[in-house]
DNA sequence: GCGTCCAGGTCTACC
DNA sequence: GGTAGACCTGGACGC
Protein backbone atom coordinates (compact mmCIF):
# COMPACT_ATOMS: atom_id res chain seq x y z
CA UNK A 1 0.00 0.00 0.00
CA UNK A 2 1.20 3.48 -0.87
CA UNK A 3 2.41 5.58 2.03
CA UNK A 4 2.43 9.36 2.03
CA UNK A 5 5.14 11.29 3.81
CA UNK A 6 5.05 14.69 5.36
CA UNK A 7 7.78 16.68 7.10
CA UNK A 8 6.95 19.02 9.95
CA UNK A 9 9.26 21.21 12.02
CA UNK A 10 8.49 22.25 15.57
CA UNK A 11 10.11 24.93 17.69
CA UNK A 12 11.25 23.62 21.07
CA UNK A 13 12.03 25.50 24.30
CA UNK A 14 15.56 26.80 24.84
CA UNK A 15 16.04 24.49 27.84
CA UNK A 16 14.89 21.34 25.97
CA UNK A 17 17.09 18.47 24.82
CA UNK A 18 15.38 15.86 22.68
CA UNK A 19 17.41 12.74 23.34
CA UNK A 20 17.77 13.20 27.10
CA UNK A 21 13.98 13.61 27.19
CA UNK A 22 13.52 10.35 25.28
CA UNK A 23 16.28 8.45 27.04
CA UNK A 24 15.63 9.43 30.64
CA UNK A 25 13.03 6.72 31.23
CA UNK A 26 11.95 3.37 29.84
CA UNK A 27 8.67 4.82 28.52
CA UNK A 28 10.29 5.19 25.06
CA UNK A 29 10.38 1.39 24.80
CA UNK A 30 6.70 0.80 25.54
CA UNK A 31 4.52 0.25 22.47
CA UNK A 32 3.32 2.05 20.48
CA UNK A 33 6.52 4.03 21.09
CA UNK A 34 9.75 2.70 19.64
CA UNK A 35 13.19 4.20 19.33
CA UNK A 36 16.35 3.91 17.27
CA UNK A 37 19.29 4.48 19.56
CA UNK A 38 21.81 4.81 16.74
CA UNK A 39 19.79 7.37 14.76
CA UNK A 40 18.42 8.91 17.96
CA UNK A 41 14.84 8.88 16.77
CA UNK A 42 11.59 8.26 18.60
CA UNK A 43 8.64 6.82 16.70
CA UNK A 44 5.01 6.31 17.51
CA UNK A 45 2.07 4.81 15.65
CA UNK A 46 -0.97 6.91 16.43
CA UNK A 47 -4.66 6.90 15.62
CA UNK A 48 -6.02 10.37 14.86
CA UNK A 49 -9.55 11.50 15.72
CA UNK A 50 -10.25 11.64 11.96
CA UNK A 51 -9.81 7.86 11.89
CA UNK A 52 -6.50 8.03 10.03
CA UNK A 53 -3.49 6.19 11.40
CA UNK A 54 -0.01 7.68 11.15
CA UNK A 55 3.50 6.72 12.08
CA UNK A 56 5.43 9.73 13.35
CA UNK A 57 9.19 9.80 13.79
CA UNK A 58 10.83 12.56 15.81
CA UNK A 59 14.46 13.66 15.68
CA UNK A 60 16.47 16.68 16.80
CA UNK A 61 17.70 19.29 14.32
CA UNK A 62 20.19 22.13 14.73
CA UNK A 63 19.00 25.00 16.84
CA UNK A 64 15.72 24.87 18.66
CA UNK A 65 14.05 22.68 16.07
CA UNK A 66 12.49 19.25 16.23
CA UNK A 67 11.99 17.45 12.93
CA UNK A 68 8.93 15.29 12.54
CA UNK A 69 8.50 12.80 9.69
CA UNK A 70 4.91 11.62 9.39
CA UNK A 71 3.90 8.64 7.30
CA UNK A 72 0.28 7.93 6.45
CA UNK A 73 -1.78 5.97 3.95
CA UNK A 74 -4.16 8.86 3.52
CA UNK A 75 -3.75 12.54 2.78
CA UNK A 76 -3.51 14.55 5.96
CA UNK A 77 -5.56 17.70 6.45
CA UNK A 78 -4.73 20.80 8.47
CA UNK A 79 -6.61 19.46 11.51
CA UNK A 80 -4.67 16.19 11.32
CA UNK A 81 -1.35 18.04 11.28
CA UNK A 82 -2.40 20.21 14.22
CA UNK A 83 -3.40 17.11 16.15
CA UNK A 84 -0.06 15.43 15.39
CA UNK A 85 1.80 18.52 16.60
CA UNK A 86 -0.27 18.49 19.78
CA UNK A 87 0.53 14.83 20.39
CA UNK A 88 4.25 15.52 20.03
CA UNK A 89 4.07 18.56 22.31
CA UNK A 90 2.33 16.49 24.98
CA UNK A 91 4.62 13.45 24.69
CA UNK A 92 7.78 15.56 24.91
CA UNK A 93 6.29 18.03 27.41
CA UNK A 94 7.25 20.96 25.21
CA UNK A 95 4.70 23.14 27.00
CA UNK A 96 5.86 22.21 30.49
CA UNK A 97 7.55 25.30 31.93
CA UNK A 98 10.58 24.16 33.91
CA UNK A 99 12.18 27.61 34.23
CA UNK A 100 11.45 27.82 37.96
CA UNK A 101 12.95 24.34 38.39
CA UNK A 102 16.17 25.38 36.69
CA UNK A 103 16.30 28.57 38.79
CA UNK A 104 15.80 26.43 41.90
CA UNK A 105 18.66 24.14 40.86
CA UNK A 106 21.07 27.09 40.71
CA UNK A 107 21.41 26.60 44.46
CA UNK A 108 22.65 23.04 43.90
CA UNK A 109 25.94 22.89 41.92
CA UNK A 110 25.80 19.08 41.93
CA UNK A 111 22.83 19.37 39.59
CA UNK A 112 24.31 22.00 37.25
CA UNK A 113 24.57 19.26 34.64
CA UNK A 114 20.77 19.14 34.37
CA UNK A 115 20.50 22.64 32.91
CA UNK A 116 23.69 22.29 30.90
CA UNK A 117 22.27 19.19 29.21
CA UNK A 118 18.73 20.43 28.82
CA UNK A 119 17.58 17.46 30.89
CA UNK A 120 14.57 17.48 33.20
CA UNK A 121 11.82 16.28 30.90
CA UNK A 122 10.89 12.68 30.20
CA UNK A 123 8.45 11.35 27.65
CA UNK A 124 4.89 10.41 28.41
CA UNK A 125 1.88 9.24 26.46
CA UNK A 126 -0.43 11.61 24.60
CA UNK A 127 -3.32 10.62 26.87
CA UNK A 128 -3.58 10.17 30.62
CA UNK A 129 -5.55 7.01 29.90
CA UNK A 130 -2.55 5.38 28.19
CA UNK A 131 -0.18 6.47 30.94
CA UNK A 132 -2.42 5.07 33.69
CA UNK A 133 -2.85 1.71 31.92
CA UNK A 134 0.90 1.43 31.37
CA UNK A 135 1.61 2.39 34.97
CA UNK A 136 -0.75 -0.34 36.23
CA UNK A 137 1.05 -2.75 33.89
CA UNK A 138 4.40 -1.78 35.41
CA UNK A 139 3.52 -2.77 38.96
CA UNK A 140 4.81 -5.90 40.64
CA UNK A 141 6.55 -7.30 37.59
CA UNK A 142 9.76 -7.05 35.64
CA UNK A 143 10.22 -4.30 33.08
CA UNK A 144 10.38 -7.01 30.42
CA UNK A 145 6.84 -8.04 31.32
CA UNK A 146 5.63 -4.42 31.24
CA UNK A 147 6.99 -4.12 27.70
CA UNK A 148 5.47 -7.44 26.68
CA UNK A 149 2.00 -6.54 28.01
CA UNK A 150 2.08 -3.07 26.39
CA UNK A 151 3.07 -4.71 23.12
CA UNK A 152 0.24 -7.23 23.29
CA UNK A 153 -2.30 -4.53 24.20
CA UNK A 154 -1.42 -2.72 20.97
CA UNK A 155 -1.04 -5.80 18.81
CA UNK A 156 -4.26 -7.47 19.94
CA UNK A 157 -6.55 -4.52 20.72
CA UNK A 158 -5.03 -1.61 18.78
CA UNK A 159 -5.60 -0.55 15.18
CA UNK A 160 -3.04 -2.16 12.86
CA UNK A 161 -0.90 0.18 10.76
CA UNK A 162 1.53 -2.31 9.31
CA UNK A 163 2.41 -5.94 9.91
CA UNK A 164 4.07 -5.28 13.25
CA UNK A 165 2.91 -1.77 14.17
CA UNK A 166 -0.37 -0.93 15.90
CA UNK A 167 -1.89 1.97 17.81
CA UNK A 168 -2.59 1.96 21.53
CA UNK A 169 -6.18 0.76 22.03
CA UNK A 170 -8.88 3.27 22.85
CA UNK A 171 -10.83 3.10 26.13
CA UNK A 172 -13.88 1.91 24.15
CA UNK A 173 -11.95 -0.93 22.53
CA UNK A 174 -10.45 -1.99 25.84
CA UNK A 175 -13.82 -1.67 27.58
CA UNK A 176 -15.40 -4.05 25.06
CA UNK A 177 -13.10 -6.93 25.95
CA UNK A 178 -13.49 -9.37 28.81
CA UNK A 179 -11.38 -10.09 31.85
CA UNK A 180 -10.82 -13.64 30.63
CA UNK A 181 -9.57 -12.37 27.26
CA UNK A 182 -7.29 -9.86 28.97
CA UNK A 183 -5.83 -12.62 31.14
CA UNK A 184 -5.45 -15.27 28.43
CA UNK A 185 -4.45 -13.19 25.42
CA UNK A 186 -2.89 -10.01 26.79
CA UNK A 187 -1.52 -11.90 29.80
CA UNK A 188 -1.97 -8.96 32.11
CA UNK A 189 -2.64 -11.33 35.02
CA UNK A 190 -4.44 -10.01 38.08
CA UNK A 191 -4.18 -6.48 36.64
CA UNK A 192 -6.77 -7.43 33.99
CA UNK A 193 -9.94 -6.52 35.95
CA UNK A 194 -8.35 -3.22 37.03
CA UNK A 195 -7.53 -2.21 33.44
CA UNK A 196 -10.96 -3.17 32.13
CA UNK A 197 -12.79 -1.42 34.97
CA UNK A 198 -10.74 1.73 34.32
CA UNK A 199 -11.39 1.60 30.56
CA UNK A 200 -15.12 1.05 31.09
CA UNK A 201 -15.39 4.06 33.42
CA UNK A 202 -13.73 6.26 30.79
CA UNK A 203 -15.74 4.82 27.92
CA UNK A 204 -18.97 5.44 29.84
CA UNK A 205 -17.95 9.03 30.52
CA UNK A 206 -17.90 8.48 34.26
CA UNK A 207 -14.31 9.58 34.70
CA UNK A 208 -12.41 12.41 32.99
CA UNK A 209 -8.75 11.64 33.61
CA UNK A 210 -7.56 14.17 31.02
CA UNK A 211 -8.82 16.84 33.42
CA UNK A 212 -6.10 15.74 35.84
CA UNK A 213 -3.58 17.58 33.65
CA UNK A 214 -5.15 20.94 34.45
CA UNK A 215 -6.62 20.13 37.86
CA UNK A 216 -6.60 22.96 40.39
CA UNK A 217 -6.35 20.45 43.24
CA UNK A 218 -3.17 20.38 45.29
CA UNK A 219 -1.02 17.32 44.59
CA UNK A 220 -2.02 15.45 47.76
CA UNK A 221 -5.73 15.83 46.93
CA UNK A 222 -5.17 14.87 43.30
CA UNK A 223 -3.21 11.83 44.45
CA UNK A 224 -6.19 10.71 46.56
CA UNK A 225 -8.41 11.06 43.49
CA UNK A 226 -5.99 9.09 41.32
CA UNK A 227 -5.86 6.33 43.93
CA UNK A 228 -9.60 5.83 43.56
CA UNK A 229 -8.72 3.95 40.37
CA UNK A 230 -8.50 0.29 41.36
CA UNK A 231 -5.04 -1.09 40.76
CA UNK A 232 -3.43 2.28 41.42
CA UNK A 233 -1.76 2.32 44.80
CA UNK A 234 0.71 4.63 46.48
CA UNK A 235 3.60 4.10 44.07
CA UNK A 236 1.50 4.15 40.91
CA UNK A 237 -0.30 7.36 41.98
CA UNK A 238 3.04 9.08 42.62
CA UNK A 239 4.28 7.94 39.23
CA UNK A 240 1.15 9.20 37.48
CA UNK A 241 1.57 12.56 39.23
CA UNK A 242 5.07 12.79 37.75
CA UNK A 243 3.66 12.07 34.32
CA UNK A 244 1.18 14.91 34.95
CA UNK A 245 4.08 17.25 35.73
CA UNK A 246 3.85 17.23 39.52
CA UNK A 247 6.96 16.22 41.39
CA UNK A 248 6.02 16.56 45.09
CA UNK A 249 6.19 12.79 45.68
CA UNK A 250 9.06 10.36 45.12
CA UNK A 251 7.28 7.36 43.51
CA UNK A 252 9.66 4.90 45.14
CA UNK A 253 9.73 1.49 43.53
CA UNK A 254 12.13 -1.39 43.96
CA UNK A 255 14.37 -0.15 41.11
CA UNK A 256 14.73 3.30 42.65
CA UNK A 257 15.38 1.88 46.12
CA UNK A 258 18.11 -0.37 44.74
CA UNK A 259 19.60 2.43 42.65
CA UNK A 260 19.61 4.85 45.60
CA UNK A 261 21.42 2.33 47.79
CA UNK A 262 24.03 1.84 45.04
CA UNK A 263 24.63 5.57 44.59
CA UNK A 264 24.23 6.97 48.10
CA UNK A 265 24.27 3.97 50.43
CA UNK A 266 27.40 2.03 49.42
CA UNK A 267 25.14 -0.80 48.36
CA UNK A 268 23.63 -1.09 51.85
CA UNK A 269 19.85 -1.25 52.11
CA UNK A 270 18.34 2.17 52.78
CA UNK A 271 14.93 2.77 54.25
CA UNK A 272 12.24 4.82 52.53
CA UNK A 273 12.49 7.30 55.38
CA UNK A 274 16.19 7.84 54.66
CA UNK A 275 15.47 8.42 50.97
CA UNK A 276 12.65 10.82 51.89
CA UNK A 277 14.96 12.76 54.19
CA UNK A 278 17.69 12.91 51.56
CA UNK A 279 15.44 14.61 49.01
CA UNK A 280 13.26 16.61 51.42
CA UNK A 281 15.28 19.84 50.86
CA UNK A 282 14.18 19.83 47.22
CA UNK A 283 10.56 20.48 48.25
CA UNK A 284 8.04 20.33 45.41
CA UNK A 285 10.79 19.29 43.00
CA UNK A 286 12.03 16.32 45.02
CA UNK A 287 10.45 13.68 42.77
CA UNK A 288 12.14 15.14 39.72
CA UNK A 289 15.48 15.62 41.48
CA UNK A 290 15.40 12.02 42.71
CA UNK A 291 14.72 10.73 39.21
CA UNK A 292 17.47 12.84 37.63
CA UNK A 293 19.88 11.77 40.37
CA UNK A 294 19.17 8.13 39.59
CA UNK A 295 19.48 8.43 35.79
CA UNK A 296 22.38 10.92 35.78
CA UNK A 297 24.92 8.31 34.72
CA UNK A 298 22.70 7.19 31.84
CA UNK A 299 22.24 10.77 30.63
CA UNK A 300 25.71 12.28 30.99
CA UNK A 301 27.16 9.38 28.99
CA UNK A 302 24.99 10.19 25.99
C1' DG B 1 13.85 -29.99 32.53
C1' DC B 2 12.00 -28.55 36.86
C1' DG B 3 11.22 -25.80 40.99
C1' DT B 4 11.90 -21.49 43.22
C1' DC B 5 12.51 -16.71 43.55
C1' DC B 6 11.33 -12.17 42.62
C1' DA B 7 10.61 -8.04 39.86
C1' DG B 8 9.90 -0.55 38.54
C1' DG B 9 2.96 -3.21 44.04
C1' DT B 10 -1.97 -3.45 45.23
C1' DC B 11 -5.91 -5.20 47.50
C1' DT B 12 -8.35 -7.32 51.16
C1' DA B 13 -9.10 -9.28 55.52
C1' DC B 14 -7.92 -9.13 59.97
C1' DC B 15 -6.17 -7.33 64.27
C1' DG C 1 -3.47 2.37 61.17
C1' DG C 2 -0.64 -1.43 60.50
C1' DT C 3 0.37 -6.01 58.64
C1' DA C 4 0.10 -10.66 56.42
C1' DG C 5 -1.04 -13.16 52.51
C1' DA C 6 -2.71 -13.73 47.87
C1' DC C 7 -2.19 -12.40 43.28
C1' DC C 8 -0.38 -13.13 37.24
C1' DT C 9 3.57 -13.41 34.45
C1' DG C 10 8.04 -14.63 32.89
C1' DG C 11 13.09 -14.36 33.18
C1' DA C 12 17.02 -15.77 36.06
C1' DC C 13 19.03 -19.03 38.73
C1' DG C 14 20.30 -23.39 41.04
C1' DC C 15 20.05 -28.17 40.91
Amino acid sequence: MKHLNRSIQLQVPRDFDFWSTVWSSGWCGLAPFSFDEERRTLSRVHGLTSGKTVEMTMMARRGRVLALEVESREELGKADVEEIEGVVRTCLRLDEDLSSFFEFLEGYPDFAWVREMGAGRSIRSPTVFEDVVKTICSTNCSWALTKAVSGRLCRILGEPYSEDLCTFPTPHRMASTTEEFMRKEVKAGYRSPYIIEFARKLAAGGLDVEAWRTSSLDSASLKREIMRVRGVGDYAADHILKLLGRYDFLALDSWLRRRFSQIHGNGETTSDREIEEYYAPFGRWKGLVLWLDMVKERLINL
Side-chain angles (χ1 to χ4, degrees), chain A residues 179-241:
Chain A
E179 182 183 327
E180 187 186 8
F181 184 87
M182 193 67 86
R183 285 178 186 268
K184 282 190 174 173
E185 302 299 326
V186 180
K187 297 180 181 174
Y190 70 90
R191 304 164 196 84
S192 301
Y194 303 150
I195 296 169
I196 291 179
E197 181 182 315
F198 177 60
R200 285 180 180 165
K201 274 187 184 169
L202 264 70
L207 182 61
D208 181 12
V209 294
E210 296 306 319
W212 290 350
R213 289 204 200 280
T214 53
S215 172
S216 58
L217 292 174
D218 62 86
S219 296
S221 301
L222 183 56
K223 178 176 174 176
R224 279 194 291 276
E225 190 171 325
I226 293 169
M227 287 181 71
R228 292 173 67 185
V229 175
R230 287 217 312 143
V232 174
D234 190 60
Y235 156 76
D238 287 359
H239 185 252
I240 291 164
L241 281 172

Side-chain angles (χ1 to χ4, degrees), chain A residues 104 108 246-250 276-290:
Chain A
F104 174 80
Y108 298 89
R246 298 179 185 237
Y247 305 102
D248 339 39
F249 297 96
L250 296 181
E276 285 278 356
E277 286 172 358
Y278 188 91
Y279 292 103
F282 297 99
R284 72 183 178 101
W285 297 111
K286 62 186 174 189
L288 183 53
V289 172
L290 159 72

Side-chain angles (χ1 to χ4, degrees), chain A residues 38-232:
Chain A
E38 200 169 315
R39 293 177 58 222
R40 295 199 168 184
T41 61
L42 175 72
S43 299
R44 176 182 172 85
V45 175
H46 193 78
L48 299 171
T49 51
S50 62
K52 300 167 190 169
T53 303
V54 298
E55 183 185 12
M56 51 182 88
T57 300
M58 300 156 239
M59 66 206 83
R61 283 284 178 265
R62 284 177 187 277
R64 291 190 292 138
V65 176
L66 181 79
L68 187 57
E69 297 293 332
V70 185
E71 193 181 85
S72 171
R73 291 175 187 150
E74 298 162 274
E75 196 69 53
L76 298 175
K78 188 182 171 194
D80 295 322
V81 173
E82 285 176 358
E83 186 176 345
I84 290 165
E85 289 179 359
V87 165
V88 172
R89 299 194 78 80
T90 302
C91 292
L92 300 179
R93 307 186 192 231
L94 297 181
D95 298 325
E96 190 169 316
D97 183 5
L98 287 179
S99 55
S100 54
F101 172 62
F102 291 126
E103 282 173 27
F104 174 80
L105 279 190
E106 284 175 11
Y108 298 89
D110 286 350
F111 289 93
W113 65 273
V114 176
R115 185 166 201 163
E116 286 163 11
M117 278 198 71
R121 292 174 173 82
S122 57
I123 70 163
R124 61 182 174 182
S125 306
T127 64
V128 177
F129 166 69
E130 184 177 323
D131 274 339
V132 171
V133 171
K134 285 177 172 174
T135 300
I136 291 173
C137 291
S138 75
T139 57
N140 195 29
C141 64
S142 63
W143 188 244
L145 184 64
T146 303
K147 288 205 285 188
V149 172
S150 293
R152 283 192 289 266
L153 276 174
C154 296
R155 208 161 46 248
I156 298 170
L157 297 173
E159 285 296 319
Y161 175 70
S162 63
E163 199 173 320
D164 55 345
L165 296 175
C166 302
T167 63
F168 194 81
T170 63
H172 283 84
R173 180 70 187 91
M174 227 180 267
S176 68
T177 192
T178 63
E179 182 183 327
E180 187 186 8
F181 184 87
M182 193 67 86
R183 285 178 186 268
K184 282 190 174 173
E185 302 299 326
V186 180
K187 297 180 181 174
Y190 70 90
R191 304 164 196 84
S192 301
Y194 303 150
I195 296 169
I196 291 179
E197 181 182 315
F198 177 60
R200 285 180 180 165
K201 274 187 184 169
L202 264 70
L207 182 61
D208 181 12
V209 294
E210 296 306 319
W212 290 350
R213 289 204 200 280
T214 53
S215 172
S216 58
L217 292 174
D218 62 86
S219 296
S221 301
L222 183 56
K223 178 176 174 176
R224 279 194 291 276
E225 190 171 325
I226 293 169
M227 287 181 71
R228 292 173 67 185
V229 175
R230 287 217 312 143
V232 174

